[in-house]
Amino acid sequence: MSEEMVLSVFRGDQTGGREEEFHVPLETGMVVLDALHYIQAEHAPDLAVRWNCKAAHCGSCSAEINGRPKLLCKTRLDQYEGQVVHVRPMHAFPLIKDLVTDVSSNYRAAKQIPAFSPRTPAPFTMYQRDVDRVQEFHQCIECFLCQDTCHVLRDHNARDRYFGPRMMAKIAEWEMHPMDTQDRREFLKDVAGLPMCNVTRCCVEVCPEHIVITDNAIIPLKERVADLYWDPIRAIFRRFQRSSTSSQPSSTVTS
Amino acid sequence: MSENRQSSGLSPVNLDTIETHDYDVVVVGAGGAGLRAAIAASEGTARVAVISKSLLGKAHTVMAEGGVAASLGNVDSDDSWDTHFYDTMKSGHFINQYRTAEIFAKEVPDRVLELETWGAVFDRTPAGKIMQRPFGAHSFRRLAHIGDRTGKELIRTLQYKVIHQNVDIFQEVTTTRLLTDEEGRIAGLFGYYREDGHFVVFRAKAIVLATGGFGKAYKVTSNSWESTGDGAALAFRIGAELMDIEMVQFHPTGMVWPPGVRGLLVTEGVRGEGGLLYNSKHERFMLRYDPVQQELSSRDVVARSIFKENQAERGTPHGGAWLDISHLPATMVKAKLPGMYEQFLSLADVDITREAFEVAPTTHYVMGGIRVDPETEATNVPGLYAAGEVACGLHGANRLGGNSLGDILVFGRRAGMAALAYAQSVDYPTLIPAQIEEEVRRVLAPFSRQDGERPYHMMSELQEIMTTYAGIVRSGESLAAGLEHLELLRLRAERMAVQGSRAYNPGWHTVFDVESLILLGEAVIRGALARKESRGAQWRTDYPEELPEMGKVNFVQTWADGHVVVREEPVEPMPEHLAKLFESDQAPGVVRQAARKANQGGGS
Amino acid sequence: MAQPLPRETRNAGPARRQRAPRLWLEPTVTAVVFGLFVLYSLWEVFFHNNGVYGNYVSPFFSPQVGRWFGMKSFIAFPVVWIPFLFRGTCYYYRKEYNRAWFWHPSACASPEPTGRRYTGESRFPFSWTNLHRYFWYLAVIVLIFLWKDTVQAFFFTHGFAVHLGSLLMLVNAIFLTLYTFSCHAFRHLVGGGKDCNSCAFGPNAGKATTSYTLWTKVSRWNQRHGSWAWASLFSVWVVDLYVRLLIMGVIHDVRFF
Ligand SMILES: Cc1cc2nc3c(=O)[nH]c(=O)nc-3n(C[C@H](O)[C@H](O)[C@H](O)COP(=O)(O)OP(=O)(O)OC[C@H]3O[C@@H](n4cnc5c(N)ncnc54)[C@H](O)[C@@H]3O)c2cc1C
Ligand code: SF4
Ligand code: SF4
Ligand code: FES
């Protein structure tokens, strides 16, 4: 029981930094966040780490453990027995201090998404099978690990040109809502940067909520955008349809 | 060391350089209550800000699991507001504010539907309506939910609503003091950005406190780190009244093993979906304690039952009870309780679809809080409003599961509206510079102390004291001892010291958490000492009975010259038409249901 | 916005070095296999004018449009681009070649070449992947001919028989069918584009529509799209090689019964 683990934790800020080693006694079922709390209490009271729930519900404690983007509160320490555990901040976001990064770009992107606008106020009549699909996206805890992994944001620093997988899932959530009337396809193509994604699926690999972002959100959205911009036959068909039933609202339901 | 202190800015304060903002309404807290208040306050053209000490969407509300109680009557058509009112009053052991409960029961269905209009997607009934699940001590199936992640749905919906609204959001800003003007009205607040520690002052006509509870006062808790009762302590210090603060809810089912997850909540939804409790002798002990409602009895009863089983040495290896849902089909468990399934599998190596798991009571919720007006959520400080877990009135001596999420919606909205109306009726207040200067000095003091107490150690000692002396079981003796220990701790805590700079320094942040908690800890103990009976969440071994005369009073506390003063206030009696509901032994809806069934039976 | 850390500190540290050996393996294998297949295909369509051996037709040469129009050389050309562009625009292949050939990214959460301005699928030629559905329509037509060829592969001059070649053709046709009908664009087509599958009013309100039933099925197949993509790639390759070797007289067909 009195086994010890060695954690090598990044310490530093924008001006630079390095990893520092700490020794932590291993307890049954300990997660990496527990170890960091131990370090705070005993060795480094000013070690910065973001966390709230310690139950994998809030998505605050995202970091990179031995190079993998993970939640600190959900990653068991015992799986690294015999290894040094390297804990570093998320790489795709500007560093604030130690393990804390500036994720505000996500909130700025979120603000731009055209909001859900239902055709009538609730109560809605919607069947479970109609909402199954969007409920998957509602599982998101906004940990932004997918954003951290997505190479478009991580390596190409293209936050201004692509909102990232989390926001694609959010847009899909509204776009596929049975009661929604907004058409966000032009927005997806021109503002949110959907075409920047090259469907390489890294976001799916790291999502702690197991949301299949690429296949269930991004690709269907790409197909919807293609309906509008890359499908001459449908365009003709749509024009024909619109002139015959002019009262139809042009929502994705009818297209 | 010395260079650190330079960077922590201990030079004399220049008030002109402090970042200052003017707002009509400032909402402190971005949980459900805070966000709902901000939405209500921003309906017009008023300038509204939300301040939260964590990121948007991470507030404690996100952890709520089971659901939100509303008498929509989608699965049990006999349900209606009066039955919900009845259940709420009864579980609160009648020291709740009847008017608060009445408003709540009547308005909560609209608030839930409003969420649906804003994009929340609840689980559906076969007829395509919002699904409702049964929960402890609710007469009908009443909790709208999405799996076991209802709080997330609620906060996400409100969060995306609010960012599309005319509201400024200040994330990771901690409030350390409320500011008043010469006449004692609200004038604004003082806080700092966690990111780099720089100070900020908000001048505000009205402030809504929505800072949640203080479950962190206890060692074993389901609450997140934020639940340190800041709002209640801030308001208390400037003269607001606290009420029923001794009423701390212990949720019967928290995780027990492994140690790292001790206290983590196991949603009541597990029992709602059919989970059964066993002791080490494999007896369903709840049949003994509450033969009618069994596992779905109210929280205080189930928590105490588990505690008593352990006293009688029928507990599980780590001092709890077995909860078992493995008799249900695995696919159903995974669909209805996906979060629980995942939580146990990844953190405890337990597959709940195959085996029973250990649970034990965990600190969960604070029924007591800032005393507010039932209609407007106004406190006794002009311009100060409070809603959500930080406020008091709805839950009495025991909160019903699912009532809190409804609480934050209904009264968050009302507080926002009332604060807006008040703000529109007054001019911008005048700040008192001395208050700000004093606060700057106080906030920076821990940096200049050499070899002081470590905030983290103070925190765990405080939790130890509260758990031992003012926990699920209390007595005059234990409470008095607790008070003594707390006093000693308070003196030591005055010498808390921190290292490092002001930039994102959790040690420094913890100092203020500890200060709030010590203050509220004392209030809890004093309230518990005053209430010489057992009622709801308060269980005193020296007064094991519920006493009728105590059911007529609330204990109200004020802060005068550095001392906590406790006084009795009569519980507002219910008017005739509401009192009538309690004449029969059964909830109104249950009576109606029985009558309807009898009629149908007679007709056929 | 600034990068989180200065470059030296960013990519240094044993964490990254430790994983280095695994990182290049997968994309490299994929790159080599894809590369070999492309080289093989070029050799096949540029240097051969016949893909028929008795009742066997190589998938590279079917349907024989070139022959119908009396082409003398490059007879595979009129059709062979269809399956190529179908695969080239396929969402699964896009993932694989973006990772393996362009290293965007070579592996998740690892550094990748950042030199040129990355534009994802927003510029030509990658923007043309949006035409995937059209290549799907065409691929379905080709698939019909392939099934015709497959049936034909069981009927020899002396009548029905099962040879190794016939079985290979059958397996190939099955893989190709699974691959084609598990396509993301098809999934969108049958119901993915709709937001509501039972909102109809009237007597059918709340009942699942046909498109919903189809969409659920296709969604299930779609989860294995990648496996079918690899399986059918190899089956095409094997069948073509088999027919080619028969034509060249290197091997002889094996009869089972
Ligand atoms: C695990 C769990 C499960 C639950 N399940 C249910 C359930 O199923 N049904 C139900 O009805 N209830 C449930 N509850 C209770 C319910 O979730 C909470 O009571 C409710 O969410 C409280 O909301 P709130 O808006 O009052 O405060 P919180 O959500 O706690 O928000 C507090 C906000 O105040 C901010 N804040 C605090 N202090 C400061 C400060 N000093 N300066 C600035 N900002 C500050 C915080 O950052 C945060 O944004 C559950 C609780 C827990 C812990
Ligand atoms: S699939 Fe798209 S969004 Fe996901 S990681 Fe890859 S490029 Fe980013
Ligand atoms: S989609 Fe998954 S990885 Fe991305 S933010 Fe949400 S939960 Fe995190
Ligand atoms: S602390 Fe909430 S997800 Fe880890």
Side-chain angles (χ1 to χ4, degrees):
Chain A
M1 218 0 80
S2 63
E3 253 177 290
E4 250 191 9
M5 297 285 293
V6 180
L7 270 83
S8 176
V9 183
F10 178 84
R11 312 256 359 230
D13 54 27
Q14 284 283 352
T15 59
R18 66 197 155 76
E19 288 187 14
E20 257 176 52
E21 281 201 357
F22 298 97
H23 293 255
V24 176
L26 184 67
E27 260 190 70
T28 317
M30 203 173 193
V31 293
V32 178
L33 188 59
D34 289 322
L36 294 172
H37 283 160
Y38 175 85
I39 294 170
Q40 279 184 333
E42 303 303 326
H43 303 299
D46 60 340
L47 170 69
V49 51
R50 219 183 242 135
W51 68 285
N52 270 29
C53 65
K54 210 174 132 352
H57 285 351
C58 74
S60 304
C61 63
S62 310
E64 299 187 7
I65 304 169
N66 283 0
R68 303 302 298 169
K70 279 178 185 288
L71 293 179
L72 294 170
C73 72
K74 207 186 165 190
T75 307
R76 291 267 291 265
L77 211 51
D78 48 13
Q79 64 184 302
Y80 300 109
E81 268 189 77
Q83 295 174 35
V84 175
V85 184
H86 298 271
V87 189
R88 302 178 67 94
M90 285 198 283
H91 175 95
F93 297 103
L95 183 69
I96 292 177
K97 187 181 148 198
D98 302 346
L99 301 176
V100 175
T101 51
D102 176 3
V103 292
S104 56
S105 53
N106 297 305
Y107 298 97
R108 280 195 296 278
K111 209 175 158 81
Q112 295 177 54
I113 303 173
F116 173 64
S117 33
R119 64 192 72 217
T120 59
F124 302 149
T125 304
M126 303 190 286
Y127 298 91
Q128 188 61 42
R129 76 168 69 81
D130 289 314
V131 300
D132 275 342
R133 182 151 70 145
V134 291
Q135 279 189 339
E136 176 182 5
F137 311 130
H138 285 245
Q139 291 304 321
C140 173
I141 58 173
E142 300 209 322
C143 62
F144 306 130
L145 287 174
C146 54
Q147 306 281 82
D148 180 45
T149 321
C150 175
H151 69 116
V152 185
L153 308 179
R154 189 183 180 92
D155 298 301
H156 303 291
N157 211 353
R159 272 189 294 269
D160 51 336
R161 287 183 289 147
Y162 181 42
F163 281 16
R166 157 58 190 146
M167 294 307 146
M168 295 304 121
K170 182 71 207 179
I171 296 172
E173 176 189 316
W174 282 338
E175 194 65 17
M176 296 176 185
H177 192 296
M179 293 294 156
D180 182 57
T181 56
Q182 278 273 353
D183 185 348
R184 296 173 189 77
R185 290 177 294 179
E186 191 182 337
F187 173 82
L188 275 166
K189 177 173 144 304
D190 296 335
V191 184
L194 178 64
M196 291 292 281
C197 163
N198 64 356
V199 295
T200 35
R201 290 189 101 235
C202 290
C203 45
V204 181
E205 286 179 21
V206 298
C207 177
E209 290 292 313
H210 312 298
I211 301 170
V212 191
I213 311 168
T214 315
D215 299 84
N216 290 346
I218 295 180
I219 293 177
L221 288 177
K222 277 182 179 261
E223 284 295 317
R224 286 173 186 220
V225 170
D227 282 349
L228 190 61
Y229 294 99
W230 291 88
D231 201 331
I233 296 185
R234 277 190 180 227
I236 293 167
F237 188 63
R238 252 201 319 272
R239 180 152 313 158
F240 179 72
Q241 223 184 17
R242 208 170 299 156
S243 57
S244 60
T245 58
S246 54
S247 63
Q248 281 282 339
S250 66
S251 72
T252 50
V253 185
T254 51
S255 67
Chain B
M1 256 296 132
S2 64
E3 66 179 66
N4 269 341
R5 242 183 296 135
Q6 254 168 21
S7 70
S8 60
L10 281 185
S11 48
V13 225
N14 182 355
L15 289 187
D16 298 335
T17 59
I18 293 186
E19 178 183 325
T20 308
H21 300 276
D22 285 348
Y23 282 97
D24 292 310
V25 178
V26 171
V27 179
V28 186
L35 294 176
R36 190 62 192 83
I39 293 168
S42 63
E43 299 283 85
T45 53
R47 282 174 55 78
V48 179
V50 174
I51 300 173
S52 125
K53 68 176 177 176
S54 59
L55 294 174
L56 186 57
K58 311 292 183 202
H60 182 67
T61 301
V62 81
M63 297 169 75
E65 295 168 350
V68 40
S71 58
L72 293 162
N74 286 351
V75 283
D76 290 317
S77 57
D78 292 301
D79 199 6
S80 66
W81 77 266
D82 53 3
T83 314
H84 195 179
F85 172 76
Y86 176 97
D87 291 344
T88 304
M89 290 301 293
K90 198 166 172 194
S91 297
H93 295 255
F94 298 100
I95 59 165
N96 357 25
Q97 306 299 300
Y98 85 86
R99 182 63 186 139
T100 312
E102 183 189 357
I103 293 174
F104 166 75
K106 282 182 178 162
E107 291 185 4
V108 71
D110 285 343
R111 298 287 80 76
V112 171
L113 289 177
E114 185 175 78
L115 287 181
E116 188 168 78
T117 308
W118 294 342
V121 177
F122 294 101
D123 286 352
R124 315 307 294 180
T125 65
K129 295 182 180 163
I130 295 176
M131 184 68 155
Q132 299 184 273
R133 68 155 56 114
F135 234 54
H138 283 282
S139 299
F140 293 109
R141 286 171 285 183
R142 193 176 276 151
L143 270 75
H145 60 274
I146 163 168
D148 49 9
R149 295 299 184 83
T150 315
K152 180 162 72 184
E153 188 68 6
L154 200 132
I155 200 162
R156 209 61 85 227
T157 307
L158 293 174
Q159 164 194 350
Y160 277 83
K161 175 77 184 163
V162 108
I163 59 171
H164 286 96
Q165 201 90 352
N166 184 23
V167 174
D168 293 337
I169 297 158
F170 294 83
Q171 306 189 48
E172 297 198 316
V173 172
T174 302
T175 310
T176 65
R177 169 159 189 172
L178 297 176
L179 306 171
T180 46
D181 68 3
E182 298 287 354
E183 277 129 65
R185 290 179 309 197
I186 273 298
L189 61 81
F190 179 95
Y192 64 84
Y193 286 86
R194 298 171 80 83
E195 181 173 332
D196 54 7
H198 84 264
F199 296 136
V200 57
V201 168
F202 288 80
R203 191 161 72 121
K205 295 179 182 171
I207 290 183
V208 179
L209 289 175
T211 53
F214 56 87
K216 272 285 160 193
Y218 291 84
K219 199 165 63 179
V220 177
T221 174
S222 65
N223 287 195
S224 75
W225 72 265
E226 289 191 297
S227 299
T228 52
D230 297 6
L234 293 175
F236 196 47
R237 288 197 197 109
I238 63 158
E241 294 170 338
L242 300 180
M243 191 167 82
D244 294 343
I245 202 86
E246 69 276 10
M247 293 300 176
V248 176
Q249 179 170 71
F250 296 88
H251 193 292
T253 59
M255 279 174 89
V256 184
W257 192 255
V261 298
R262 183 152 198 148
L264 217 70
L265 190 77
V266 176
T267 173
E268 193 164 327
V270 175
R271 282 171 290 139
E273 298 295 344
L276 301 176
L277 285 165
Y278 297 97
N279 61 19
S280 60
K281 298 217 154 70
H282 207 74
E283 294 162 343
R284 270 185 67 195
F285 57 89
M286 281 316 295
L287 298 181
R288 257 188 283 127
Y289 294 100
D290 185 346
V292 180
Q293 293 179 317
Q294 304 171 2
E295 270 77 5
L296 287 179
S297 182
S298 66
R299 286 180 177 173
D300 51 338
V301 176
V302 183
R304 255 192 311 275
S305 307
I306 295 178
F307 194 90
K308 286 179 184 159
E309 285 303 297
N310 278 284
Q311 279 185 324
E313 309 211 325
R314 290 192 293 267
T316 55
H318 302 104
W322 295 110
L323 181 54
D324 192 357
I325 191 147
S326 61
H327 51 280
L328 297 180
T331 46
M332 184 186 142
V333 173
K334 284 184 206 171
K336 282 288 176 189
L337 304 161
M340 281 301 117
Y341 173 72
E342 172 98 24
Q343 177 175 319
F344 273 92
L345 203 60
S346 64
L347 297 176
D349 300 325
V350 169
D351 182 347
I352 62 167
T353 63
R354 290 154 171 272
E355 50 189 315
F357 46 95
E358 279 188 86
V359 291
T362 177
T363 317
H364 187 54
Y365 187 87
V366 190
M367 275 75 73
I370 304 174
R371 187 178 189 213
V372 293
D373 174 64
E375 314 272 343
T376 62
E377 315 324 300
T379 66
N380 56 325
V381 177
L384 184 63
Y385 298 77
E389 193 170 338
V390 71
C392 170
L394 174 61
H395 308 294
N398 177 52
R399 174 176 74 93
L400 273 183
N403 266 6
S404 172
L405 291 182
D407 174 12
I408 63 184
L409 293 172
V410 169
F411 298 107
R413 170 174 164 277
R414 278 176 165 265
M417 292 188 335
L420 175 63
Y422 173 84
Q424 282 166 341
S425 71
V426 297
D427 289 332
Y428 269 109
T430 321
L431 295 170
I432 304 174
Q435 281 184 1
I436 300 171
E437 257 164 69
E438 187 187 296
E439 184 60 8
V440 169
R441 232 170 292 126
R442 186 184 81 90
V443 167
L444 290 179
F447 284 106
S448 55
R449 290 188 197 120
Q450 302 284 329
D451 309 319
E453 299 284 350
R454 292 196 208 185
Y456 298 106
H457 291 183
M458 291 287 103
M459 178 74 106
S460 43
E461 283 185 41
L462 169 84
Q463 292 168 342
E464 202 65 56
I465 294 173
M466 291 303 288
T467 308
T468 318
Y469 301 106
I472 186 168
V473 46
R474 305 161 173 183
S475 70
E477 216 172 308
S478 78
L479 291 166
L483 207 53
E484 241 164 73
H485 282 91
L486 204 62
E487 184 55 24
L488 291 176
L489 188 78
R490 195 175 58 78
L491 291 174
R492 283 169 58 205
E494 281 172 3
R495 299 194 310 105
M496 278 188 282
V498 293
Q499 300 164 23
S501 75
R502 275 158 68 184
Y504 219 109
N505 187 339
W508 186 39
H509 305 163
T510 307
V511 169
F512 308 112
D513 298 345
V514 171
E515 286 174 356
S516 299
L517 287 177
I518 290 182
L519 184 59
L520 296 175
E522 183 182 342
V524 169
I525 296 184
R526 292 203 186 273
L529 275 170
R531 188 168 281 286
K532 293 194 168 61
E533 63 159 348
S534 294
R535 175 180 299 270
Q538 155 108 333
W539 177 26
R540 279 186 64 162
T541 46
D542 46 352
Y543 296 98
E545 300 301 324
E546 187 169 314
L547 306 174
E549 66 273 18
M550 281 278 170
K552 298 197 181 77
V553 292
N554 295 117
F555 289 97
V556 174
Q557 309 193 13
T558 47
W559 180 246
D561 304 326
H563 292 285
V564 176
V565 181
V566 185
R567 71 165 198 270
E568 283 182 20
E569 283 280 334
V571 175
E572 188 91 7
M574 275 186 253
E576 181 63 32
H577 70 282
L578 292 177
K580 240 183 23 219
L581 295 174
F582 298 91
E583 277 165 11
S584 136
D585 224 17
Q586 280 182 314
V590 177
V591 175
R592 278 196 296 272
Q593 187 181 41
R596 188 170 53 82
K597 285 207 172 129
N599 261 342
Q600 280 170 354
S604 67
Chain C
M1 220 171 267
Q3 280 291 323
L5 298 174
R7 203 160 278 274
E8 319 73 80
T9 47
R10 245 201 312 152
N11 299 334
R16 282 170 209 283
R17 240 178 287 131
Q18 228 172 31
R19 301 186 317 128
R22 267 193 310 119
L23 285 185
W24 52 267
L25 192 68
E26 207 189 295
T28 309
V29 169
T30 311
V32 168
V33 174
F34 280 4
L36 285 177
F37 183 77
V38 171
L39 288 179
Y40 174 85
S41 314
L42 292 176
W43 172 72
E44 184 69 0
V45 301
F46 273 96
F47 297 102
H48 299 101
N49 272 324
N50 177 23
V52 182
Y53 178 82
N55 55 343
Y56 293 162
V57 185
S58 146
F60 274 80
F61 293 83
S62 167
Q64 304 225 40
V65 179
R67 184 137 302 162
W68 301 343
F69 290 97
M71 281 170 68
K72 288 283 180 296
S73 44
F74 304 130
I75 58 157
F77 270 53
V79 175
V80 82
W81 58 274
I82 294 176
F84 262 84
L85 288 181
F86 178 48
R87 278 171 197 257
T89 57
C90 158
Y91 287 99
Y92 178 76
Y93 279 94
R94 273 142 84 175
K95 167 193 164 206
E96 291 295 330
Y97 64 67
N98 277 319
R99 282 190 182 195
W101 282 349
F102 304 106
W103 286 46
H104 277 320
S106 56
C108 298
S110 72
E112 68 172 74
T114 48
R116 267 205 349 269
R117 188 176 153 93
Y118 170 85
T119 55
E121 302 190 329
S122 60
R123 300 277 158 80
F124 181 79
F126 295 108
S127 57
W128 279 50
T129 50
N130 280 310
L131 295 173
H132 189 45
R133 57 190 61 188
Y134 281 99
F135 300 122
W136 185 85
Y137 301 140
L138 295 172
V140 170
I141 300 175
V142 174
L143 186 65
I144 294 170
F145 282 96
L146 198 96
W147 273 106
K148 179 194 145 258
D149 296 341
T150 305
V151 173
Q152 188 181 307
F154 286 87
F155 292 92
F156 297 82
T157 37
H158 49 268
F160 181 85
V162 179
H163 291 214
L164 179 57
S166 339
L167 285 182
L168 288 176
M169 296 267 298
L170 180 64
V171 168
N172 183 38
I174 291 173
F175 282 162
L176 277 171
T177 308
L178 286 168
Y179 171 61
T180 309
F181 289 97
S182 61
C183 162
H184 291 84
F186 180 57
R187 181 178 177 222
H188 172 72
L189 208 71
V190 293
K194 283 205 190 126
D195 293 337
C196 194
N197 295 297
S198 46
C199 295
F201 295 98
N204 283 329
K207 296 225 175 72
T209 55
T210 321
S211 96
Y212 173 78
T213 317
L214 266 174
W215 176 75
T216 349
K217 286 227 168 67
V218 176
S219 296
R220 210 167 310 132
W221 300 334
N222 180 261
Q223 288 173 359
R224 314 224 75 141
H225 194 50
S227 315
W228 308 136
W230 280 106
S232 57
L233 183 82
F234 285 117
S235 69
V236 166
W237 202 340
V238 165
V239 169
D240 182 78
L241 190 66
Y242 192 78
V243 176
R244 176 64 49 219
L245 293 179
L246 287 175
I247 296 173
M248 291 166 71
V250 181
I251 54 166
H252 296 280
D253 202 9
V254 184
R255 178 170 177 171
F256 292 123
F257 48 82

